[in-house]
């Protein structure tokens, strides 16, 4: 592992989709399903064909291939994210 390790506190209200290489571990109340994200997304996102769908209550540990910066994102502001792959999100 070359990057940061992040602990997320899941409350059961938010669902997450993560690349399978980012997953490290989770507590018992967290569910993890392997799903295919579609060939087009796999080719252009820089991720593999398989991703994890995560939800539930508990702790989730993720890793990255670099540093992770926490941002306080309010509903009234617009934010731009470029993760270096071919897709970008707002």
């Amino acid at each position: 592992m070359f990057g940061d390790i992040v602990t997320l506190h899941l409350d059961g209200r938010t669902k997450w989709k993560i690349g399978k290489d980012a997953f490290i571990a989770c507590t018992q109340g967290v569910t993890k399903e392997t799903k295919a994200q579609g060939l087009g997304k796999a080719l252009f996102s820089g991720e593999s064909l398989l991703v994890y769908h995560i939800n539930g209550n508990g702790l989730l540990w993720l890793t990255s291939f670099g540093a992770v910066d926490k941002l306080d994102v309010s509903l009234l502001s617009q934010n731009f994210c470029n993760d270096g792959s071919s897709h970008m999100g707002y």
Side-chain angles (χ1 to χ4, degrees):
M1 291 184 212
F2 300 106
D4 289 351
I5 295 175
V6 177
T7 303
L8 292 179
H9 299 267
L10 303 180
D11 60 7
R13 293 180 290 165
T14 304
K15 295 181 181 180
W16 293 79
K17 290 182 184 178
I18 63 169
K20 66 183 189 85
D21 294 334
F23 178 83
I24 297 176
C26 63
T27 57
Q28 251 183 338
V30 177
T31 61
K32 175 182 78 163
E33 292 183 66
T34 304
K35 301 272 185 164
Q37 67 171 334
L39 189 57
K41 285 184 181 179
L43 289 174
F44 296 108
S45 71
E47 294 291 333
S48 70
L49 182 62
L50 300 176
V51 294
Y52 290 138
H53 288 217
I54 308 283
N55 63 9
N57 290 300
L59 299 175
L60 171 67
W61 288 274
L62 303 173
T63 187
S64 68
F65 288 110
V68 174
D69 293 324
K70 278 187 165 183
L71 298 175
D72 182 15
V73 181
S74 74
L75 295 174
L76 301 177
S77 66
Q78 181 178 6
N79 296 282
F80 177 76
C81 175
N82 180 355
D83 63 1
S85 67
S86 60
H87 67 282
M88 297 177 197
Y90 291 92

